[in-house]
Amino acid sequence: MLQEFNGANYIYKLSFDRPMAEGYVSADFNTLFISDMTATLLPENKSFNVSKEELKYLTSLGEGACLEINSNKKIASAFGILNDNTLYITDKCNSNCIMCPMAEPARRDGHTVPFEIQDELIRYMPCGMEHITITGGEPFIIKEKLFDILQQLKTGNKAHSYLLLSNGRVFASHEYCHKFAEVVPEDFLVGIPLHGPIPDIHDAISQAPGSFIQTTAGIKNLLATKMVSIEIRIVVSKLNSKYLVQLAEYIVQNYPNVDSVKFMGMEMLGNANVNSDKVWIPYEEAFKYISPAIDILVNNAIDVAIYNFPLCFVERPYWNLCANSITAHKIKYAEACANCKEKNACGGMFTGTDRFLANSVKPIL
């Protein structure tokens, strides 16, 4: 948040160099120029003070970053050269996963970022960013407009690598796959959730009849384009934990060329919280089902990672697979973690999941 922000616009180029700032203005960019502890909005010629914390954050974004500032003076989104940037498309989704951290009303009636704002954000983004994640909801809810967004990102050389999070159902259409292959930037990874090895399990979790057939066909069609890499994401819950070995075998048999498989702990908000009695499984129990599935995948030369699991719930031989995967502002550690000698290496737990885990955390001494 920029506490003293007084601008009239909502998207700005960030600059720390006066000539660069003037160049941005000449190129028709609203610009937020920082000098010492003062921010000047150009061409508005309005100034306000920034705090040390605000300055530290803005500096981390780097020269030429894009800032979207809402009416509450909060930075709604930011795109910087070295950031793990996120382009959010919509709350809406054509599935309603029983363990989704967003609630059903948001999936059904939630906000979609207006297209004109998406276009302006992309125009303001610096070129050559390290990474962009494109996510929702289901990004393809906006249909062909997503192809326009991908084309703009590609033409503008906005990032070196991309991750698109999608339920994959749209790619069951060969027409969509063909259009996608035409506009997709290079070094593009698509993350697709697969909840079980058979329709009954997958569809019960997605709460979308027919989604297993669509998702599995979509993965197959995307792999056939040879234009993108695919990671399969397995969110582990009470509903699918006992079938993880069969799911690993299904992946090996049907998608041996998949880029990787990610086993993911739940974020217990939204649908997941409402349905906690149906989906929650203690992490130490979950890992007993995850480890043999990992072994099958690794033995078949498929890369694996474990997301959202604190190290104390994972057997030591598998620690090297654990990623610090939780967004910084969502990370929480239990009181018992203070004495853990592996805390600095551990990714912690979701703030929404800590009440389910806090009493079972076992610090590594």
Side-chain angles (χ1 to χ4, degrees), residues 79-86 128-134 158-164 187 189:
F79 298 87
I81 291 293
L82 299 178
N83 277 34
D84 186 3
N85 304 289
T86 299
M129 290 182 289
E130 191 70 26
H131 179 80
I132 297 176
T133 296
I134 304 168
K158 293 298 183 179
H160 297 304
S161 67
Y162 295 85
L163 169 63
L164 169 69
D187 198 357
L189 178 66

Side-chain angles (χ1 to χ4, degrees), residues 58-352:
L58 294 172
T59 302
S60 73
L61 295 175
E63 178 68 37
C66 165
L67 295 174
E68 180 190 9
I69 304 171
N70 66 21
S71 59
N72 295 321
K73 305 181 181 181
K74 181 179 179 181
I75 298 176
S77 59
F79 298 87
I81 291 293
L82 299 178
N83 277 34
D84 186 3
N85 304 289
T86 299
L87 182 61
Y88 192 83
I89 304 297
T90 181
D91 294 336
K92 297 179 180 179
C93 186
N94 57 339
S95 294
N96 183 32
C97 293
I98 194 169
M99 75 308 174
C100 180
M102 290 188 70
E104 181 175 354
R107 293 300 196 199
R108 185 179 61 246
D109 305 316
H111 175 67
T112 296
V113 178
F115 296 160
E116 59 270 20
I117 292 180
Q118 296 283 17
D119 291 343
E120 277 293 90
L121 286 173
I122 294 171
R123 187 174 79 87
Y124 271 74
M125 289 176 188
C127 298
M129 290 182 289
E130 191 70 26
H131 179 80
I132 297 176
T133 296
I134 304 168
T135 187
E138 169 52 50
F140 272 102
I141 284 291
I142 64 173
K143 300 181 180 179
E144 284 82 2
K145 175 59 184 176
L146 191 61
F147 295 135
D148 295 337
I149 288 172
L150 293 173
Q151 184 66 68
Q152 291 177 59
L153 292 169
K154 180 180 181 179
T155 303
N157 190 29
K158 293 298 183 179
H160 297 304
S161 67
Y162 295 85
L163 169 63
L164 169 69
L165 299 179
S166 169
N167 59 36
R169 295 169 60 187
V170 70
F171 298 115
S173 164
H174 289 282
E175 179 183 0
Y176 261 72
C177 265
H178 178 70
K179 289 181 178 178
F180 184 69
E182 288 181 341
V183 300
V184 68
E186 294 183 7
D187 198 357
F188 203 95
L189 178 66
V190 183
I192 298 177
L194 191 57
H195 304 307
I198 59 175
D200 286 352
I201 299 169
H202 181 97
D203 292 4
I205 292 172
S206 71
Q207 300 190 106
S211 60
F212 177 82
I213 293 174
Q214 292 174 327
T215 294
T216 53
I219 295 171
K220 180 180 179 181
N221 291 343
L222 276 179
L223 287 172
T225 69
K226 298 182 179 180
M227 294 297 292
V228 299
S229 300
I230 297 175
E231 67 174 31
I232 293 177
R233 297 184 156 212
I234 303 172
V235 181
V236 182
S237 73
K238 186 191 297 185
L239 296 175
N240 67 356
S241 57
K242 295 180 180 179
Y243 306 98
L244 295 183
V245 165
Q246 294 95 312
L247 181 52
E249 292 171 341
Y250 179 90
I251 292 169
V252 168
Q253 180 177 356
N254 291 279
Y255 312 121
N257 295 326
V258 73
D259 181 77
S260 62
V261 175
K262 306 294 195 298
F263 290 90
M264 310 183 74
M266 291 180 289
E267 182 178 8
M268 295 299 292
L269 300 173
N271 280 2
N273 184 50
V274 171
N275 299 302
S276 60
D277 59 324
K278 298 177 182 178
V279 302
W280 175 251
I281 179 172
Y283 275 21
E284 60 267 33
E285 181 181 347
F287 188 77
K288 293 177 182 178
Y289 296 108
I290 292 172
S291 57
I294 288 175
D295 294 343
I296 290 170
L297 294 165
V298 170
N299 289 339
N300 284 276
I302 295 177
D303 286 342
V304 177
I306 303 170
Y307 281 10
N308 315 335
F309 273 73
L311 290 178
C312 58
F313 296 105
V314 177
E315 294 175 11
R316 190 177 290 268
Y318 297 87
W319 281 6
N320 65 310
L321 302 178
C322 293
N324 291 342
S325 52
I326 301 175
T327 306
H329 71 272
K330 294 183 177 182
I331 297 174
K332 187 165 184 178
Y333 294 93
E335 289 184 12
C337 299
N339 298 320
C340 180
K341 69 178 183 180
E342 299 294 342
K343 182 179 178 181
N344 291 336
C346 179
M349 65 190 87
F350 278 115
T351 53

Side-chain angles (χ1 to χ4, degrees), residues 1-16:
M1 178 177 289
L2 298 176
Q3 295 282 359
E4 298 187 28
F5 175 76
N6 57 3
N9 298 294
Y10 60 92
I11 300 178
Y12 290 86
K13 273 277 194 185
L14 177 63
S15 182
F16 302 88

